[in-house]
Structure formats: C-alpha cells, structure tokens
Amino acid sequence: NRFSKKEEEQGSLHSDILSDASRIVHFLNIEKPYLAPGFSIHDVVKQLDIPQKTVTDCFNKVIKMPFPKMRNQLRVDFAMEMFRRNAHIQKSISGIASESGFNNRATFYLAFKEATQMTPIDWIKQNCDFQMEDDMVDEGSEVDKKSQNSEED
C-alpha cells in the first residue's frame, strides 16, 4: 500500500541523515578541522562528500546546533582544554585563541563568553590550579575590562 511505502522511504531518509550526522560528528572530533581559522561548512561538504543541504540539515535537525555555533563551541572546548593543561602559563590568551582556530582575540572572547558566561581570564581563575602571570595577560584583558565596564553601565 502507498502509505507504508511512503513511511518506509521517510524511515530510510531518517536513517541516512542520522548516519551522515554521525559521520560529521566523528570527522569533527577526530580530525579537528575547526582548528583551522578558515574552516567552513563547505569544508565538511567537500571532505565528507555530503550535499550542503544535508550537512545543514544534520546540524540543524539532528545535532540541533547551527554550524557556526557548533564550530565556536568546539573551539572554546579546545581552548578550555589548553587552559586545563596550563598552556596559559607559557602562552598568551591570544596565542591560545589562535591555536583554537579563532581569527582574532575579540571573536574568541565573544564566543568564550557566550559558551561559558565568563571571560577566559575569569574561567582560568575559577578552574585552573596555576594562574597567569601579569605579563602573560595580553591585550585581551582590555577586552575583559571593557566587557566588565559595559556590564556595570
């Protein structure tokens, strides 16, 4: 009967999109392509040979997070792992932001604050055993001060 055939096709499509979403998540977690500053959804499409509409649907409908937000979350998670490993002792916040795939410090601070509700410096103070030396806090602290001042206004 036609109804069961249509349900069967929808089930197959659902299975395909779940499979594609799984491939995407595996690719992101294993290859870490988001660490490249220019990483875009087109890179996922090319690397995995999945149509762009399908990739977009996977992010929005299965992963339930738009691609840009997912990319930033993965980058922030990577930076937090660097902080946990005390990379901030030897590297500036800007250096860690760059290694995490962010193009600039301001974008990093915005994404970090959106993901954690705090600045990287505040996160380090609350979550890391070793604090930053004053000379290792780069110009990012200016962004930190500005964001705190704007919150107080």
Side-chain angles (χ1 to χ4, degrees):
N1 105 24
R2 278 182 42 212
F3 188 67
S4 63
K5 176 95 171 153
K6 190 171 186 172
E7 283 179 340
E8 190 176 302
E9 286 173 4
Q10 286 178 337
S12 174
L13 289 174
H14 184 71
S15 174
D16 288 347
I17 197 169
L18 288 177
S19 173
D20 288 338
S22 177
R23 286 180 59 213
I24 291 167
V25 170
H26 184 263
F27 170 65
L28 294 173
N29 289 330
I30 301 302
E31 301 294 326
K32 298 187 182 345
Y34 53 85
L35 297 178
F39 177 62
S40 74
I41 198 165
H42 303 293
D43 297 312
V44 177
V45 169
K46 283 189 273 184
Q47 288 291 316
L48 299 180
D49 195 29
I50 300 172
Q52 179 153 348
K53 179 171 180 0
T54 305
V55 172
T56 301
D57 286 348
C58 286
F59 279 102
N60 294 335
K61 296 177 181 175
V62 179
I63 299 168
K64 298 195 184 302
M65 185 181 290
F67 173 79
K69 187 169 184 172
M70 176 80 162
R71 177 185 56 205
N72 281 347
Q73 183 63 56
L74 290 166
R75 288 173 171 174
V76 167
D77 290 346
F78 186 85
M80 288 190 304
E81 187 55 37
M82 289 184 75
F83 294 146
R84 280 187 200 97
R85 293 181 180 171
N86 296 314
H88 56 283
I89 301 300
Q90 288 133 6
K91 299 176 186 195
S92 68
I93 299 272
S94 291
I96 291 170
S98 178
E99 284 186 41
S100 301
F102 288 96
N103 284 317
N104 59 62
R105 186 184 61 256
T107 305
F108 173 62
Y109 266 72
L110 288 171
F112 198 95
K113 194 153 188 175
E114 181 181 332
T116 66
Q117 285 69 57
M118 61 182 78
T119 66
I121 293 168
D122 290 338
W123 192 91
I124 289 167
K125 287 177 184 172
Q126 288 186 19
N127 295 282
C128 298
D129 292 334
F130 296 98
Q131 301 305 311
M132 298 175 66
E133 298 294 325
D134 286 339
D135 61 346
M136 289 302 290
V137 176
D138 60 16
E139 315 80 58
S141 60
E142 294 303 314
V143 174
D144 187 26
K145 288 174 191 161
K146 286 178 187 169
S147 68
Q148 285 176 350
N149 289 340
S150 66
E151 288 171 6
E152 293 168 2
D153 293 342

